[in-house]
Amino acid sequence: MAARVRPDTGEATSKQRYRVTNWSEYDRSLVNRGNLTIWFDDASIKDNWTPAPPVGRG
């Protein structure tokens, strides 16, 4: 593998490679890569997510 040269400093860099040893965990991490979980407690939902009551006619 040839070393790359950084254009700003001229230093040679090489990309590190990691050997996968636990394939089942690696596959699961690829599946879950874009997932995001958010928890809201009841108080914050009640205070911030409840719409204001309508004013006047609907």
Side-chain angles (χ1 to χ4, degrees):
M1 182 175 169
R4 293 188 225 173
V5 176
R6 291 180 55 181
D8 55 346
T9 61
E11 297 176 16
T13 62
S14 61
K15 190 173 181 180
Q16 279 189 320
R17 291 190 171 204
Y18 297 97
R19 187 172 296 259
V20 177
T21 56
N22 188 346
W23 282 101
S24 61
E25 184 178 337
Y26 177 73
D27 289 339
R28 256 186 285 130
S29 69
L30 289 179
V31 169
N32 291 325
R33 188 187 331 196
N35 293 348
L36 175 67
T37 303
I38 301 174
W39 289 276
F40 295 100
D41 63 341
D42 292 332
S44 66
I45 292 173
K46 188 180 225 181
D47 293 341
N48 298 324
W49 291 85
T50 305
V55 177
R57 297 177 73 179

